[in-house]
Amino acid sequence: MFTTRPEIRGTFGVVASTHWLASGAAMAVLERGGNAFDAAAAAGFVLQVVEPHLNGPLGEVPILSWNAERGIAQSICGQGTAPAAATIEAFRNDGYDIIPGSGLVAATVPGSFDAWMSLLLEHGTWRLRDVLEFAIGYAQNGHPLVPRIADTIGTMRELFETHWPTSAAVYLPHGVAPKAGKLFRNPALAGFYRRLIEEAEAVGSNRDAQIERARRIWSQGFVAEAIDRFSRKSRLMDGAGKCRGGFITGEDMARWRARVEKPLCLDHHGWTVLKCGPWSQGPVMLQTLAMLDGDDLGSLDPNGPEFIHLVVEALKLSLADREAWYADPDFFDVPIAALLSRDYAAERRALIGESASFEQRPGSPAGRAPLLPARPDLARASVAGLAGTGEPTMAKAMSGDRAELETASDGTTRGDTCHVDVIDRWGNMVAATPSGGWFQSSPVIPELGVCLGVRGQMFWLDPTVPCALAPGKRPRTTLTPSMALKDGVPALAFGTPGGDQQDQWSTLFFLRHVHHGLNLQEAIDAPSCHTDHATSSFWPRHAKPGTLTVERRFPTATIEALERKGHQVEVGDDWSEGRLCACAVEPDGDQRILKAGANPRGMQGYAVGR
């Protein structure tokens, strides 16, 4: 099968990420004796600098890890919660009927930093200074700006100059928009991290004490103080056209810490797939695999209409359950055992017919009635979308990299995310999907050089639904890294940016790898697709029932057959669906081969290894 690149193979270590500089940094850590946890953290901080349109220090990250020495898998929840003052009543009183996708009001507690610190403290070996040196170097000395960042800054220029002057100071230095390919610097961010290190090291030479001290500085020191001050005193434009401050305070920062949890898992044809809990959309993939467990997928053409139809229709059912049932389990009794049960999967599988479905069909796990937002306008919006009218004040939902990177002039964006996978020579594994805090989401905090994330837009202002806004609650995020064991042995770490598409692309990748024997790069390069059938997780929360966006590289016969099945097929560019990364372990006698692949779409992601 044609691939754009070879599958990377080696025995020492492998890395795959959405930016070559992050991949290079992680590999440098491995070469210098660090383990996969040190390397993933270093790559995560580099991604904050070199992909600031996709993530930032004040964003969030879910992390899946496998510690080979201890034989344990963990899920680290780096998704911060809603501030104490962020209530449904507070939004309603300010005239909001939906939480906007940009500004300060949608900010949740930043979770990324503490999640990386949790990983380093429990599993890593490197000091904080050494882990951060790569990111600080790129922030201080510059990194070549990828074209999409320059384009996004251009889109945001008027908003920056007119309403967000602190962002203009960073991204329009001396009033000039930076050019693609030229070095871009963020000295404020470099200074922010240098100060953090210096204050952390004041506690003494003990590595663990320094990391714990850094966590306290972040949540209770100058970082929290800067966030509190900016949020309270600023009155800046948001995506709803309102000028106001944020809800987040220093007290919110002080109350929050990343949580280590046991991953959810599901067995599928000799593989055990690990995902984050229902505060993410991770169970979507598990539910889909459970529905397809009895099908002879290997007999179907991986690029044929029967395979694509079957997978997409299963995903529609899983995504409908996501909207009705997934939420922070601290606030809502998510029937996760029932959702992942074989009996429920069989019940849901029976709903898949020969024609494309146009209905949102959440199920009734454990006999409970599904709960969906009271949004009659969604049906009208869905019809309008099919009729070709654009989405107001938001860049039209687009496929693949375009869904990642398309931004409206008011800062509204959907799906901006990164990914990194690492496996080291000892068999330790990490899969992480950093996101949030992208520079188009909210204005820059001057002392830090970066901005808050707006993951709060995923809450509903409807108190009757699982994902209703509540103080201290985690929004049901779209972020969803993946890990899998083969016959009980850790074998695969993978994931992709893409908002609501993440588990769609990841599921197709996994099924083609497992059932059709495609290697990592072949499965990544294969033509892909997604549906916008379900309600979007991002403002303004539209849906386009029955739609299916496919890459033009699919056979014409496949596209025509899908149309005959009733799918509203939209044909995208040849290379427009997904930004997958993957690393794997393959036994070879008493040795093992490490493998990696990365997505060519967007010309940014790279896999490295030796």
Side-chain angles (χ1 to χ4, degrees):
M1 181 177 175
F2 167 79
T3 61
T4 57
R5 310 164 178 178
E7 180 186 63
I8 299 296
R9 292 191 170 219
T11 58
F12 178 80
V14 287
V15 180
S17 87
T18 50
H19 197 291
W20 66 87
L21 291 178
S23 297
M27 195 66 205
V29 173
L30 297 181
E31 294 283 3
R32 288 162 52 183
N35 62 24
F37 313 110
D38 303 316
F45 286 113
V46 168
L47 287 170
Q48 295 172 1
V49 177
V50 301
E51 291 193 317
H53 59 318
L54 303 178
N55 78 137
L58 305 186
E60 51 271 333
V61 60
I63 305 170
L64 291 173
S65 67
W66 174 267
N67 186 305
E69 181 180 3
R70 295 161 59 186
I72 60 168
Q74 291 182 336
S75 164
I76 300 178
C77 177
Q79 175 56 63
T81 58
T87 65
I88 291 175
E89 293 74 21
F91 274 95
R92 294 291 191 191
N93 289 340
D94 278 348
Y96 295 96
D97 60 0
I98 190 170
I99 299 176
S102 66
L104 293 173
V105 294
T108 51
V109 175
S112 180
F113 181 81
D114 201 70
W116 287 121
M117 292 303 100
S118 177
L119 182 75
L120 279 176
L121 188 63
E122 184 166 356
H123 304 292
T125 64
W126 273 31
R127 294 179 180 275
L128 180 60
R129 175 180 291 275
D130 298 325
V131 168
L132 281 171
E133 70 170 338
F134 303 94
I136 291 173
Y138 287 125
Q140 184 64 48
N141 303 319
H143 59 93
L145 207 64
V146 298
R148 184 60 71 174
I149 299 177
D151 293 344
T152 304
I153 292 172
T155 300
M156 298 296 295
R157 180 167 190 155
E158 182 178 353
L159 179 66
F160 286 175
E161 291 178 333
T162 305
H163 297 291
W164 295 0
T166 56
S167 296
V170 173
Y171 291 101
L172 298 170
H174 309 295
V176 178
K179 295 182 179 179
K182 299 299 183 179
L183 292 180
F184 177 79
R185 300 170 177 85
N186 189 342
L189 173 56
F192 157 29
Y193 274 146
R194 279 197 299 266
R195 179 180 174 184
L196 182 69
I197 292 169
E198 290 168 0
E199 292 193 15
E201 290 180 343
V203 76
S205 61
N206 182 271
R207 169 190 174 271
D208 291 0
Q210 289 177 1
I211 293 174
E212 283 289 10
R213 175 62 177 162
R215 298 174 84 176
R216 288 194 297 273
I217 294 166
W218 185 278
S219 63
Q220 301 170 46
F222 79 91
V223 181
E225 291 169 0
I227 291 171
D228 179 288
R229 185 165 50 249
F230 189 77
S231 179
R232 283 188 297 105
K233 294 186 176 181
S234 300
R235 293 295 180 269
L236 298 164
M237 185 73 70
D238 63 25
K242 299 178 184 293
C243 289
R244 75 171 320 281
F247 291 109
I248 192 169
T249 67
E251 287 78 9
D252 295 312
M253 296 284 293
R255 278 191 291 264
W256 189 86
R257 272 210 167 192
R259 291 170 53 171
V260 177
E261 303 173 346
K262 185 178 180 180
L264 297 177
C265 64
L266 183 113
D267 293 332
H268 179 82
H269 289 258
W271 292 76
T272 301
V273 181
L274 308 181
K275 300 290 285 187
C276 297
W279 49 267
S280 76
Q281 69 171 338
V284 163
M285 183 176 181
L286 302 184
Q287 284 194 244
T288 303
L289 294 177
M291 275 184 260
L292 302 178
D293 199 55
D295 289 278
D296 184 10
L297 299 175
S299 67
L300 302 178
D301 179 353
N303 295 328
E306 296 304 324
F307 176 72
I308 297 301
H309 171 77
L310 181 59
V311 175
V312 167
E313 290 301 304
L315 283 165
K316 288 179 183 178
L317 293 170
S318 300
L319 289 166
D321 277 342
R322 181 194 73 174
E323 293 309 298
W325 296 110
Y326 296 9
D328 184 343
D330 293 342
F331 286 74
F332 178 76
D333 180 18
V334 181
I336 194 65
L339 287 166
L340 299 181
S341 71
R342 297 298 175 181
D343 288 344
Y344 184 71
E347 175 186 321
R348 301 292 277 160
R349 174 64 179 85
L351 297 177
I352 299 176
E354 292 300 315
S355 299
S357 60
F358 279 73
E359 297 176 315
Q360 306 294 342
R361 297 183 290 176
S364 299
R368 292 167 56 180
L371 300 168
L372 291 173
R375 283 288 306 278
D377 56 308
L378 282 178
R380 294 194 295 273
S382 300
V383 173
L386 289 175
T389 57
E391 297 176 338
T393 68
M394 184 179 108
K396 290 188 70 176
M398 302 180 79
S399 63
D401 251 19
R402 294 173 296 173
E404 301 302 304
L405 306 171
E406 192 75 10
T407 303
S409 59
D410 65 357
T412 303
T413 304
R414 77 175 207 162
D416 303 73
T417 309
C418 311
H419 189 80
V420 59
D421 301 305
V422 184
I423 303 178
D424 65 25
R425 54 185 153 160
W426 302 287
N428 299 309
M429 300 172 60
V430 178
T433 309
S435 186
W438 48 79
F439 67 71
Q440 59 273 36
S441 66
S442 66
V444 164
I445 300 171
E447 300 96 321
L448 308 179
V450 291
C451 62
L452 290 163
V454 288
R455 193 64 57 173
Q457 67 183 289
M458 296 183 172
F459 285 118
W460 289 101
L461 299 180
D462 178 347
T464 67
V465 300
C467 201
L469 174 66
K473 187 176 182 178
R474 291 172 285 184
R476 193 274 302 149
T477 180
T478 54
L479 307 176
T480 174
S482 305
M483 196 171 280
L485 286 64
K486 179 72 168 76
D487 298 323
V489 179
L492 184 61
F494 61 105
T496 177
D500 296 300
Q501 286 79 55
Q502 288 183 34
D503 273 318
Q504 300 186 50
W505 293 324
S506 291
T507 299
L508 281 169
F509 161 84
F510 181 76
L511 292 175
R512 285 163 163 168
H513 180 61
V514 168
H515 292 280
H516 300 105
L518 275 62
N519 71 30
L520 300 184
Q521 196 61 49
E522 289 171 340
I524 289 170
D525 284 355
S528 197
C529 61
H530 81 273
T531 178
D532 291 313
H533 176 84
T535 303
S536 172
S537 300
F538 298 87
W539 186 92
R541 312 303 293 267
H542 285 174
K544 298 171 69 178
T547 55
L548 177 60
T549 302
V550 302
E551 288 182 325
R552 191 176 290 112
R553 293 182 296 126
F554 272 103
T556 300
T558 294
I559 295 173
E560 292 175 347
L562 289 169
E563 290 176 331
R564 287 195 296 273
K565 287 180 176 292
H567 295 279
Q568 300 293 309
V569 178
E570 299 176 2
V571 180
D573 293 339
D574 285 357
W575 298 92
S576 55
E577 290 283 312
R579 293 177 67 210
L580 277 153
C581 304
C583 292
V585 182
E586 178 183 289
D588 189 354
D590 60 352
Q591 304 277 8
R592 57 187 170 206
I593 297 174
L594 305 181
K595 306 183 291 183
N599 181 57
R601 300 165 177 89
M603 304 301 288
Q604 264 181 250
Y606 276 87
V608 294
R610 74 167 178 86

